[in-house]
Amino acid sequence: MNEKTIQGALFEINARWDQLSDSEKKVAAYVLREPKKTLHFTIKELSKQSGSSQAAVIRFCKHLDFASFSNFKLRLARDVFDNNDERYIPDLELESETSAAHVIHTVINRFQRSFSALERSLEAEMLEQAVQCIRTAQTTLLFGVGASGVVAFDFMQKLIRLGLPVFYTHDTDLQLTAASTIRPTDCAFIISYSGEKSDMIEAAKQIKKNQAKLISLTMDSDNTLRMLADIQLVVPASERIYREGASTSRTNQLAVIDILYSLMVSKNLDASIEAIEQTMAVTHRGNEKGKKTSRTS
């Protein structure tokens, strides 16, 4: 027996247009005109943009047999992105003229939920294995692009401060070149929230071909990069793949980096303190020299 085909939201709107009330038609007309923008809105903002009421938006959803406003947006995402996976719905629910107090509460609350989920997602054994891989590697090569590249750069700075050999570049072609020449004695660490970036998957394949250990840091899903990795670190799937910009995912990734850094410091506390103090002394002298030069020039 074949399953019933689930139609997108735009099909349902066009099929049942004549059954909608005048206020519901205002909502429907806006959705048909601006389907991509609609995906970003709350009920309140959609009612404002369409010149209707919040009650009309709720009735509109019920009239078209959508179980909820979220279900309506999931079906609409199928039309806009040709995919009915909820990860492709924009993560932000935007409203115009939102107060600063409301934004503060919303964003902080989102991060609190995300950190709680991160604590449940991380496996201590995987973290220990990752630390061991990095500490014993001849060189640790870091990989990441976009927001994940920012996280990789942060980790590079931390490893340098501990005196550990590390390589990272923002240049994607150079990352792929490094992956193709990696040695079995090296450790590779690829950061990609989706785990499906084509360049990062190609880098992972090159790393595996050269028999180097591979650590991945991805969202908690059965993604390609995670499946290729020897050591799998994950952050919660707190953001959908189509989003305005990484926020909780990036913060979670940075938290994992801080956890790894703290673990590495604790494994060799005396040497770590010495290395940190040495780098602090050098940068402090450099800053003081720069200040003196500027005062005398």
Side-chain angles (χ1 to χ4, degrees), residues 156-169:
M156 179 186 71
Q157 292 179 302
K158 286 179 166 61
L159 293 180
I160 287 174
R161 294 200 68 185
L162 294 179
L164 295 172
V166 60
F167 170 85
Y168 175 71
T169 174

Side-chain angles (χ1 to χ4, degrees), residues 31-32 41 82 97 108 112 140 158 204 232 236 295:
V31 173
L32 291 172
F41 294 155
D82 193 30
E97 301 177 8
I108 290 177
Q112 288 174 336
T140 297
K158 286 179 166 61
Q232 305 167 347
R295 284 197 295 266

Side-chain angles (χ1 to χ4, degrees), residues 277-291:
E277 287 181 344
Q278 182 177 343
T279 56
M280 285 180 65
V282 170
T283 54
H284 181 70
R285 284 199 298 270
N287 290 336
E288 286 299 316
K289 184 177 179 180
K291 289 176 182 178

